[in-house]
Amino acid sequence: MLVNWFLAAIHLLAFAMGFWAVLMRGDAFNRLAAGAGEQGRVLLADNIWGISALILLVTGAMRAFGGYEKGADYYLHQALFHLKMTLFVLILLIELAPMITLVKWRIAKARGTPLDVGRARLYARISHVEALLLVLMVLAATGMARGVTFS
């Protein structure tokens, strides 16, 4: 019981941390596109976003398939769980371009070469869309927690 409560709390806190980080990353991308030197802020927010995603993956998998909570059978037959996973996959897919670019930025920064910030506004928009998708994931999760079903 205590482990279930702890996993649920960590999972929800990771949503909050990820939401904040992806919004901050989007804001930093916008500032970077406007000419402000925000590369460090973009990379820091991206690190936090990545950590929160990892926590969400681990705690979510433990809760759904690790013998905690209601069990895999419950989740696999829940429409809201499928919606939540679809939103998660959508976030992963639209995250690919910023993720690849930010890996290149980290390499360039380590080499002391200039960063290509030409797509910063696009990555800001992607970050803000990801924040919206996270909110939708939380709505799906709270619906599941309240027993909302669709027939």
Side-chain angles (χ1 to χ4, degrees):
M1 175 87 148
L2 189 60
V3 173
N4 292 3
W5 178 35
F6 180 73
L7 283 174
I10 296 299
H11 195 66
L12 290 175
L13 288 170
F15 271 110
M17 183 172 75
F19 181 73
W20 174 83
V22 80
L23 284 177
M24 290 302 100
R25 187 182 77 172
D27 180 58
F29 271 130
N30 274 331
R31 290 173 186 247
L32 186 62
E38 296 287 325
Q39 296 96 337
R41 193 165 166 237
V42 168
L43 295 174
L44 175 62
D46 186 63
N47 286 342
I48 296 168
W49 173 225
I51 290 166
S52 69
L54 181 62
I55 293 169
L56 283 169
L57 271 173
V58 170
T59 59
M62 287 176 70
R63 294 179 72 209
F65 306 111
Y68 301 98
E69 299 297 330
K70 297 174 178 106
D73 190 54
Y74 172 81
Y75 289 104
L76 292 175
H77 292 92
Q78 270 285 338
L80 287 173
F81 179 75
H82 290 279
L83 173 61
K84 188 177 169 187
M85 292 302 98
T86 300
L87 294 167
F88 179 74
V89 168
L90 186 55
I91 289 171
L92 287 176
L93 291 174
I94 65 174
E95 178 64 19
L96 286 175
M99 181 174 40
I100 291 167
T101 297
L102 291 171
V103 167
K104 289 178 182 179
W105 282 16
R106 286 177 172 89
I107 293 167
K109 190 174 177 186
R111 291 180 179 159
T113 58
L115 307 180
D116 176 11
V117 299
R119 302 184 88 187
R121 287 224 190 274
L122 171 64
Y123 298 148
R125 284 192 299 274
I126 288 172
S127 296
H128 293 141
V129 167
E130 290 173 344
L132 172 63
L133 295 173
L134 275 176
V135 169
L136 296 175
M137 286 178 73
V138 169
L139 288 172
T142 56
M144 282 189 309
R146 300 292 175 260
V148 175
T149 59
F150 298 97
S151 312

